[in-house]
Amino acid sequence: MKSLTLEYANQIIQASISKARLLNMSPITVVVLDQAGHLKAMQREDGASLIRQEIATAKAWGAVNMGISSRNLGVVASSGRTL
């Protein structure tokens, strides 16, 4: 796995925001945590609701603590499977 530098965390954020704009989603907030669960970077788009930061942080925490990506965590949650 690539080392999580601030530069890489910002690339993750920019890619996420670009994808959200491509999909014409509502404004988003992106949180990137390091392997220990510490905040590495966070950006909230103009117009994103205030609760989005808490939701994004909880989603990132779940992924870190389960040891899988948040995308895969969503797949597991929606399938009814357990890890």
Side-chain angles (χ1 to χ4, degrees):
M1 177 182 192
K2 187 174 183 178
S3 177
L4 185 59
T5 62
L6 180 58
E7 179 181 359
Y8 188 46
N10 285 327
Q11 289 173 7
I12 292 168
I13 290 171
Q14 287 308 310
S16 299
I17 291 173
S18 293
K19 181 71 171 191
R21 293 306 102 243
L22 187 66
L23 296 174
N24 200 29
M25 296 172 63
S26 297
I28 66 169
T29 299
V30 182
V31 172
V32 179
L33 305 179
D34 65 16
Q35 288 179 319
H38 300 285
L39 180 65
K40 189 68 171 188
M42 188 276 296
Q43 286 191 16
R44 179 180 162 269
E45 284 189 290
D46 294 340
S49 64
L50 295 176
I51 191 78
R52 297 249 184 229
Q53 180 179 346
E54 286 80 12
I55 293 168
T57 301
K59 184 178 175 183
W61 252 102
V64 167
N65 285 302
M66 297 297 281
I68 60 175
S69 73
S70 59
R71 179 176 299 179
N72 288 336
L73 185 60
V75 170
V76 170
S78 65
S79 72
R81 293 184 298 145
T82 59
L83 294 176

